[in-house]
């Protein structure tokens, strides 16, 4: 193999970093990647990026992990630009022009200058660092909006109907620039601190591995987009499972009856037809502020699975419990609005606003006892933090006795169960409790636990 | 087949397929490394078209296996022509059963299906396995054997190995998760929506009569729609459809009435229509 040794080494550490982020890459793929490097050469960085992505990755979601890691291991340049950067106003001028022209390459170069000129902090040359936050704070690209808009309009680049799209377009271009600045700052820091460490810490995880409880607003939107196809996937998987489950055991009586015409030789085995089961689902969702991200997704999923089950009933609680099935049916796929509607229309809080599992579960066992029967699978979704109130274990025991199965999905890390006001271990003794922190875990669990 | 990545782009463009750098690079590598190419992406971005374009460029025959729920070995690989075999048996008179048996399981009675067709023979071929995600899991197992060694075992005839490897393209809409093993065998390419400039070139290529300025506006509106949170965002195919519609209507520029009247070409759900109209400040429907 004629790949230069430096590149081979860099490639293996790139693979190592990707593996650390949960991208599964085998040795075969690494070899393929090396062959790709050989075929494509190192001259064109973007070709190299595409080539490595094609050989190393297997799924679209991995791309957002791959790109920043690639930028670290195959950087655009080393060190800073040759000439000293110009002043802040000059850079802003040129940035405004680049945004107006929508010139990606130029934006990339300006991002480098921006970090170089305004992103550095610290005084001593060896202990300083680079911050994209600081660079963007000084440069304030978002305030260029009006100026860029006027420039584009002045040139007659946006007239008539498309003019109303202009602001959003410029906003997206500014977002692109911010991302470029962030990538550049990350690269600079990586040069100083060693790539491997930065690759491990500074790259955001793929959407399906984001912790529900810690997901920020923009990540939430992204997560929602991953949950939607997931629901469809689950539905097909369930359909297949149900199809398979309906064949199997031989119906002896009907086989023998059929064999009468062939003199008692069972020519055609008749398979027992299962009575179509009518699985029922009851969900108890904690919708208090602390777990809101989590319950939104679960409800979206439930909504998507609605057709799969003859009966889904959803209850929401904070310290009082109320049925919200009706709200789910009318609502389109809009968990944001849904959360607000539940808060507004359902009686989920009593005298105070913090969650109380004991009270809510007790109320459920009393008021909605008839919702749970021998065919019902109950899912409880929540972090089991009672704010020091009585966990009301008898109520849970009563629900568990009536239902076919009870599962508890807890969005908290297993190691934190039982710390502070969490009574998770006590509940876990009565019902099966699973850690469910990410969309990936959620999909795996729901697929495994849902009744056929 | 290709000399460089630029060569790929240039020759694909000749057939009317404008490839992004990512597409061109991956096609080049798939050819050089001799690996199948798994193409994923939303509907209507040109996954199937890519296979057709590669076939045209290479002067190869396109063999297509359209997957669906229930597609099986006899549909994908080969089948024995039972009717013809029966004829042969009843036509044969003075021979032993052994002779007949060896005869009826020979090439003459074999009905090759796409996978076997793609492997046999010396001519250049492009094998397109379309909508792989629609097929059952069992078929994936079959593909594993075919795609890793390019060989197929027919019990009566023995193992048939490809003398000339076909260029393989698998497409998937990701409605079912493909197995890790299958993904490993392939180069992976995700075709997303093209950037503004590329899409404008595609529109100009497919609808050459369209005015340059209008094409620009069309692409910008579609870009704005894709940035909205819609149930189904418009694909490239729909952009082209819209361009054709505008041309047919004789619309010279975009204005509220025209967009309002033709938005249905781009958006296929009522909620999306309402949402987009509100965002674009069109009058309520």
């Amino acid at each position: 193999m004629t790949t230069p040794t430096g590149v081979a080494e860099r490639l293996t550490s790139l693979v190592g970093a990707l593996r650390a982020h949960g991208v599964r890459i085998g040795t075969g793929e690494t070899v393929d990647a090396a062959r790709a490097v050989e075929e494509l050469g190192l001259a064109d960085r973007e070709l190299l990026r595409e080539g490595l992505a094609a050989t190393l990755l297997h799924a679209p979601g991995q791309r957002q992990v791959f790109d920043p890691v690639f930028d670290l291991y195959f950087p655009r340049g080393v060190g800073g630009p040759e000439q000293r950067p110009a002043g802040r106003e000059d850079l802003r001028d040129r940035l405004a022009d680049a945004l107006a022209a929508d010139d990606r390459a130029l934006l990339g170069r300006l991002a480098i200058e921006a970090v170089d000129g305004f992103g550095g902090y610290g005084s001593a040359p060896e202990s300083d660092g680079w911050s994209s936050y600081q660079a963007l704070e000084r440069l304030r690209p978002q305030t260029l909006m009006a100026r860029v808009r006027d420039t584009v309009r002045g040139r007659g680049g946006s007239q008539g109907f498309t003019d109303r799209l202009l602001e959003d377009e410029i906003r997206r271009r500014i977002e692109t620039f911010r991302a470029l600045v962030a990538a550049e700052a990350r690269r600079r820091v990586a040069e100083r601190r060693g790539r491997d460490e930065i690759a491990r810490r500074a790259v955001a995880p793929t959407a399906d591995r984001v912790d529900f409880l810690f997901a920020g607003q923009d990540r939430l939107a992204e997560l929602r987009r991953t949950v939607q196809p997931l629901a469809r996937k689950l539905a097909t998987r369930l359909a297949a499972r149900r199809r398979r489950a309906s064949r199997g055991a031989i119906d002896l009586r009907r086989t023998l009856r059929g064999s009468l015409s062939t003199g008692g030789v069972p020519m055609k085995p008749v398979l027992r037809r299962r009575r179509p089961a009518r699985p029922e689902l009851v969900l108890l969702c904690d919708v208090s502020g602390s777990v809101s991200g989590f319950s939104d997704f679960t409800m979206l999923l439930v909504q998507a699975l609605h057709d799969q089950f003859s009966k889904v009933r959803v209850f929401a609680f904070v310290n009082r419990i109320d049925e919200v099935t009706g709200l789910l049916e009318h609502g389109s796929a809009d968990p944001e609005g849904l959360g607000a509607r539940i808060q507004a229309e359902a009686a989920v809080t009593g005298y105070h606003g913090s969650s109380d599992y004991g009270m809510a579960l007790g109320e459920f066992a009393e008021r909605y006892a008839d919702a749970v029967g021998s065919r019902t699978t109950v899912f409880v979704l929540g972090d089991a933090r009672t704010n020091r109130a009585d966990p009301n274990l008898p109520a849970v025991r009563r629900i568990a006795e009536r239902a076919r199965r009870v599962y508890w999905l807890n969005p908290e890390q297993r190691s934190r169960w039982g710390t502070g006001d969490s009574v998770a271990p006590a509940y876990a003794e009565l019902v099966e409790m699973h850690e469910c922190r990410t969309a990936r875990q959620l999909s795996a669990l729901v697929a495994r636990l849902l009744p056929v | 087949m290709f000399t460089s990545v630029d060569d790929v782009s240039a020759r694909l463009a000749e057939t009317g397929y404008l490839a992004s750098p990512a597409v061109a690079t991956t096609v080049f590598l798939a050819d050089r490394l001799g690996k199948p190419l798994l193409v994923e992406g939303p509907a209507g971005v040109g996954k199937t078209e890519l296979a057709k374009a590669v076939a045209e460029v290479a002067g190869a025959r396109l063999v297509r296996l359209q997957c669906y729920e229930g597609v099986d070995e006899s549909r994908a690989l080969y089948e024995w022509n039972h009717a013809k075999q029966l004829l042969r048996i009843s036509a044969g008179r003075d021979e032993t059963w052994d002779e007949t048996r060896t005869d009826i399981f020979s090439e003459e009675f074999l009905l090759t299906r796409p996978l076997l067709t793609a492997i046999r023979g010396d001519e250049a071929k492009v094998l397109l396995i379309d909508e792989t995600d629609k097929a059952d899991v069992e078929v994936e197992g079959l593909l594993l054997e075919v795609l890793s060694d390019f060989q197929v075992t027919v019990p009566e005839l023995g193992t048939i190995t490809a003398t000339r490897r076909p260029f393989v393209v698998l497409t998937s809409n990701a409605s079912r998760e493909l197995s890790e093993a299958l993904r490993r065998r392939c180069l992976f390419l995700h075709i997303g929506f093209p950037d503004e400039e590329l899409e404008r070139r595609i529109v100009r290529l497919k609808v050459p009569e369209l005015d340059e300025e209008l094409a620009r506006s069309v692409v910008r509106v579609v870009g704005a729609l894709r940035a909205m949170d819609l149930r189904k965002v418009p694909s490239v195919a729909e952009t082209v459809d819209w361009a054709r519609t505008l041309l047919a209507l004789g619309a010279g520029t975009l204005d509220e009435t025209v967009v309002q009247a033709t938005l249905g070409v781009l958006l296929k759900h009522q909620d999306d229509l309402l949402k987009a109209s509100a965002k674009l400040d069109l009058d309520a429907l």
Side-chain angles (χ1 to χ4, degrees):
Chain A
M1 190 148 293
T2 54
T3 321
T5 41
V7 174
E9 196 180 39
R10 195 164 280 208
L11 195 61
T12 42
S13 31
L14 171 80
V15 168
L18 288 171
R19 281 187 189 138
H21 280 288
V23 182
R24 266 181 282 174
I25 299 173
T27 318
E29 282 106 305
T30 318
V31 173
D32 280 342
R35 284 171 68 197
V37 172
E38 209 173 36
E39 293 289 348
L40 295 169
L42 292 165
D44 190 329
R45 183 163 167 274
E46 290 312 306
L47 285 192
L48 191 63
R49 180 199 295 270
E50 298 302 336
L52 290 183
T55 44
L56 291 176
L57 304 186
H58 300 298
Q62 297 168 341
R63 191 59 198 249
Q64 47 179 315
V65 169
F66 174 82
D67 277 331
V69 174
F70 177 85
D71 284 334
L72 289 180
Y73 286 88
F74 293 87
R76 196 178 286 119
V78 179
E82 296 293 305
Q83 81 279 31
R84 281 310 302 163
R88 174 168 170 272
E89 283 314 309
D90 173 54
L91 190 56
R92 271 172 65 91
D93 287 345
R94 282 186 292 149
L95 180 58
D97 286 345
L99 287 172
D102 195 17
D103 184 339
R104 289 290 159 93
L106 186 55
L107 283 179
R109 286 199 295 278
L110 291 177
I112 295 177
E113 271 191 51
V115 174
D116 199 55
F118 309 107
Y121 62 81
S123 47
E126 280 313 306
S127 68
D128 55 356
W130 302 96
S131 149
S132 61
Y133 174 77
Q134 188 179 316
L136 290 169
E137 198 55 26
R138 295 277 304 280
L139 219 50
R140 297 196 155 274
Q142 62 277 18
T143 56
L144 290 171
M145 182 70 176
R147 197 164 135 192
V148 175
R149 191 185 54 209
D150 294 342
T151 319
V152 176
R153 276 189 192 147
R155 287 185 199 148
S158 189
Q159 285 160 341
F161 181 78
T162 44
D163 191 42
R164 65 184 66 173
L165 309 176
L166 189 60
E167 295 209 357
D168 277 336
E169 281 173 1
I170 296 173
R171 220 164 274 140
R172 288 206 292 276
R173 289 176 205 166
I174 293 177
E175 256 340 285
T176 313
F177 176 71
R178 297 175 78 98
L180 287 170
V181 171
E184 173 64 15
R186 222 168 20 229
R187 183 186 72 74
R188 290 288 185 87
V189 177
E191 263 180 20
R192 192 135 289 159
R193 286 207 214 135
R195 265 182 220 107
D196 295 338
E197 192 198 331
I198 300 301
R200 208 165 35 245
R201 292 193 308 134
V203 176
T206 48
D208 61 345
R209 295 166 150 256
V210 171
D211 227 308
F212 287 124
L213 298 181
F214 307 117
Q217 244 343 292
D218 53 328
R219 300 296 282 180
L220 284 181
E222 207 173 288
L223 254 175
R224 200 172 304 139
R225 275 195 292 278
T226 53
V227 169
Q228 258 157 353
L230 184 125
R232 200 181 52 213
K233 251 182 258 172
L234 274 178
T236 46
R237 205 181 303 165
L238 281 177
R241 204 158 82 186
R242 220 174 286 178
R243 222 177 20 247
R244 267 202 303 282
S246 69
R247 30 184 201 235
I250 285 187
D251 186 339
L252 203 58
R253 209 168 54 158
R254 283 169 59 212
T255 307
L256 284 179
R257 165 122 29 101
S259 75
L260 290 181
S261 62
T262 50
V265 183
M267 296 288 278
K268 258 197 190 157
V270 181
L271 296 180
R272 179 174 300 153
R273 230 181 247 192
R274 291 230 186 123
R275 193 174 287 277
R278 295 221 176 279
E280 291 169 8
L281 218 55
V282 167
L283 285 125
L284 309 179
C285 307
D286 182 353
V287 291
S288 66
S290 61
V291 290
S292 61
F294 173 65
S295 53
D296 277 356
F297 291 112
T298 333
M299 284 196 197
L300 189 65
L301 204 65
V302 170
Q303 208 166 11
L305 285 171
H306 213 270
D307 321 334
Q308 293 295 312
F309 292 87
S310 53
K311 246 176 144 186
V312 184
R313 292 180 75 178
V314 186
F315 298 85
F317 67 88
V318 175
N319 48 47
R320 296 195 54 202
I321 198 157
D322 197 5
E323 181 158 9
V324 295
T325 317
L327 293 177
L328 274 174
E329 275 167 10
H330 303 313
S332 56
D334 176 18
E336 273 167 314
L338 186 65
R341 267 209 316 285
I342 287 176
Q343 296 287 352
E345 293 177 28
V348 289
T349 48
Y351 306 108
H352 56 100
S354 46
S355 50
D356 182 341
Y357 279 77
M359 188 110 90
L361 291 173
E363 193 183 352
F364 176 77
E366 248 168 58
R367 263 173 67 193
Y368 298 103
D370 57 326
V372 180
S374 58
R375 285 199 301 260
T376 321
T377 304
V378 180
F379 279 88
V380 187
L381 315 163
D383 58 3
R385 293 199 173 267
T386 57
N387 291 306
R388 308 273 172 212
D390 170 30
N392 199 353
L393 297 176
V396 177
R397 199 172 291 128
R398 219 156 52 212
I399 297 170
E401 274 164 10
R402 286 185 66 102
R404 187 161 83 143
R405 299 302 293 268
V406 179
Y407 300 106
W408 191 305
L409 304 187
N410 193 331
E412 268 197 340
Q413 215 171 333
R414 193 175 280 269
S415 60
R416 298 191 52 209
W417 295 2
T419 60
D421 59 348
S422 166
V423 285
Y427 286 133
E429 274 183 19
L430 298 176
V431 301
E432 222 176 300
M433 192 179 276
H434 296 273
E435 177 186 291
C436 177
R437 289 163 60 203
T438 63
R440 172 184 291 227
Q441 273 181 333
L442 176 67
S443 66
L445 275 173
V446 173
R448 194 154 55 86
L449 302 182
L450 275 182
V452 175
Chain B
M1 198 151 73
F2 301 103
T3 54
S4 70
V5 176
D6 288 337
D7 182 43
V8 177
S9 325
R11 285 169 63 191
L12 285 178
E14 278 167 29
T15 72
Y17 189 95
L18 297 181
S20 68
V23 172
T25 313
T26 321
V27 168
F28 175 70
L29 281 179
D31 177 38
R32 280 301 171 91
L33 305 187
K35 295 195 86 178
L37 181 56
L38 170 62
V39 188
E40 278 192 347
V45 290
K47 300 188 291 291
T48 308
E49 289 308 309
L50 177 62
K52 291 183 185 162
V54 170
E56 199 179 326
V57 165
R61 180 176 155 206
L62 182 72
V63 183
R64 179 171 180 166
L65 171 64
Q66 175 69 48
C67 295
Y68 51 87
E69 204 176 326
V71 69
D72 59 1
E73 206 164 318
S74 62
R75 289 278 151 209
L77 215 49
Y78 69 91
E79 234 176 334
W80 289 105
N81 189 341
H82 296 305
K84 207 170 166 191
Q85 283 174 329
L86 281 177
L87 274 175
R88 168 69 187 76
I89 293 168
S90 51
R93 295 269 181 271
D94 313 317
E95 55 190 0
T96 63
W97 164 241
D98 279 340
E99 282 166 349
T100 314
R101 192 178 54 193
T102 43
D103 195 34
I104 61 170
F105 287 109
S106 64
E107 295 266 338
E108 196 193 340
F109 300 95
L110 190 69
L111 290 174
T112 59
R113 300 296 183 205
L115 290 183
L116 188 56
T117 311
I119 281 179
R120 295 211 308 175
D122 287 328
E123 49 170 343
K125 283 185 221 74
V126 171
L127 170 62
L128 166 64
I129 304 175
D130 215 358
E131 309 203 36
T132 316
D133 51 331
K134 297 278 182 347
D136 299 322
V137 185
E138 294 81 14
V139 175
E140 260 182 51
L142 193 69
L143 288 178
L144 286 183
E145 186 195 352
V146 176
L147 295 183
S148 58
D149 302 326
F150 289 94
Q151 64 178 35
V152 167
T153 307
V154 181
E156 294 86 354
L157 290 180
T159 302
I160 301 170
T161 312
T163 44
R164 179 165 183 176
R165 287 191 169 197
F167 185 96
V168 186
V169 178
L170 298 94
T171 74
S172 158
N173 281 332
S175 66
R176 175 172 69 79
E177 197 66 63
L178 297 179
S179 74
E180 189 82 355
L182 183 62
R183 286 175 180 277
R184 255 175 221 296
R185 299 257 187 317
C186 305
L187 292 186
F188 178 76
L189 172 65
H190 180 261
I191 304 189
F193 296 117
D195 62 26
E196 224 178 286
E197 202 240 323
L198 180 59
E199 187 158 26
R200 199 162 58 232
R201 276 168 52 213
I202 294 174
V203 170
R204 294 278 290 156
L205 186 76
K206 302 278 174 193
V207 197
E209 304 88 355
L210 196 75
D211 171 55
E212 171 83 54
E213 193 51 44
L214 185 54
R216 185 183 299 271
S217 309
V218 161
V219 170
R220 282 180 64 189
V221 172
V222 170
L225 289 174
R226 285 191 192 135
M228 291 175 199
D229 191 15
L230 300 177
R231 276 172 71 186
K232 188 192 170 304
V233 295
S235 69
V236 183
E238 276 144 358
T239 315
V240 173
D241 280 350
W242 197 39
R244 290 216 176 96
T245 311
L246 293 174
L247 192 70
L249 290 174
T253 51
L254 284 184
D255 59 43
E256 280 177 32
T257 353
V258 173
V259 175
Q260 169 90 61
T262 54
L263 207 53
V265 179
L266 291 171
L267 302 177
K268 307 295 160 76
H269 291 284
Q270 181 65 14
D271 331 351
D272 287 358
L273 279 172
L274 290 175
K275 203 184 246 177
S277 312
K279 278 243 173 131
L280 294 175
D281 290 331
L282 301 173
D283 296 323
L285 289 176

